Amino acid sequence: MGRVFNFSAGPAMMPLPVLKEIQKELLDYKGSGMSVMEMSHRSKVFQQIADEAEADLRELMGIPDNYKVLFIQGGATLEFSMIPINLCKNGVFDYIVTGAWSKKAMTEAKKFGRVNVIASSEDRNYSYIPDCSDLPVDDDADYVYICENETIHGTTYQKLPNTKGKILVADQSSMFLSKPCNVSDYGLIYAGVQKNVGPAGLAIVIIREDLIKTDLPENVPIYLRYSTHSENGSMYNTPNCWAIYCCGKVFKYLKSIGGLEAMAKLNKEKAQVLYDFLDQSKMFNGTVDKEFRSLMNVPFVTASAESDAEVVAATKAAGFDNLKGHKSVGGLRASIYNAMPIEGVRALVDFLKKYEEEHGNV
Ligand SMILES: *Cc1c(COP(=O)(O)O)cnc(C)c1O
């Protein structure tokens, strides 16, 4: 069997040229006589891999010098607690809850302080982004938190919230590097890399230097302090060398295709193909208010759970994998991250069109 079009929400597809390069270097990385998997993280050759990965990411996103880039294990989920632990000054945290991931992060933050939910779209099963232009931001809030692209519900912000001068913290896991980003709008950006970049098990944290506290309470574990990771170049202990290496390859690949502007253009074209189809289809309907549709995760439904399941089975048989929607939304979900080629989306739309012609009226 050849490679399928994998519409998984994560871990997800990686660019084929990157996989091929990794394959070529698998047994003997650039004459080192060993695989990156076998290499000491203290070796010169690995240090260069890590340094280049950071430099390329900085270039891609235009990360200002007063921001640190940290590679931390534990995925995006560990950041749900590291953020309130590390950014705590007054112990007041404002959350905008637009779906399952921001809700999880908010729930975790409650363990470390007083949490205000200053906006929510739960009333319509998170199918939109609330108006965030004039929110009741707490005077004492240590930060305002958003999940910028809700992976499960398929919503994204068109405009960042007005935080009224408070620090903005964003979970960008499912949209990281999908478009240009003005890093200085944020105090902290983080992403689990397995959605839009590389293999699972690594989170990238981009944090403004002055937010890295060194006077946290003594009982905060050493590993949960951003200062530990920052002071040790993300190598306090053995990092996820393999994921850093693979992500570095993806950064170089993105640079080679023209950077984030070019990527964003392609992502828009790709998503348009699918949304145009959904907008004219009688059988398949998108679940998100048009204005807030994600370019990365596209949930859609048919008239019944039964026919949803039939479509999922048919797509799988035709070589389109992982289109089953998350149980909280139901239906189908096509995750079309950076590495999904436009041909994959066109092929899926052709398949769904044909399916509708054959089954649409039953
Ligand atoms: C997948 C995902 C997470 C959780 O990522 P892990 O690395 O599995 O912890 C958090 N936030 C968003 C937006 C996600 O898509």
Side-chain angles (χ1 to χ4, degrees), residues 143-172:
Y143 59 83
V144 173
Y145 182 101
I146 60 170
C147 175
E148 204 167 333
N149 184 88
E150 282 281 0
T151 322
I152 291 173
H153 304 277
T155 55
T156 201
Y157 284 78
Q158 298 303 340
K159 198 167 170 268
L160 293 176
N162 173 5
T163 64
K164 303 188 174 169
K166 302 297 181 190
I167 295 157
L168 180 64
V169 171
D171 177 357
Q172 289 196 346

Side-chain angles (χ1 to χ4, degrees), residues 196-212:
N196 216 8
V197 193
L202 175 67
I204 294 177
V205 176
I206 301 167
I207 179 171
R208 216 174 65 204
E209 244 164 22
D210 61 289
L211 300 176
I212 302 176

Side-chain angles (χ1 to χ4, degrees), residues 83 146 245:
I83 286 162
I146 60 170
Y245 160 73

Side-chain angles (χ1 to χ4, degrees), residues 74-78 80 101 147 149 151 171 173-174 190 192 194-195:
T77 299
L78 187 62
F80 296 169
W101 289 117
C147 175
N149 184 88
T151 322
D171 177 357
S173 295
S174 50
Y190 75 98
Q194 76 275 22
K195 308 292 163 68

Side-chain angles (χ1 to χ4, degrees), residues 58 65-70 205-209 212 230:
R58 283 186 174 276
D65 288 344
N66 64 328
Y67 284 73
K68 289 279 187 198
V69 174
L70 309 176
V205 176
I206 301 167
I207 179 171
R208 216 174 65 204
E209 244 164 22
I212 302 176
S230 167

Side-chain angles (χ1 to χ4, degrees), residues 8 21 132 188 211:
S8 171
E21 231 180 90
C132 296
L188 187 154
L211 300 176

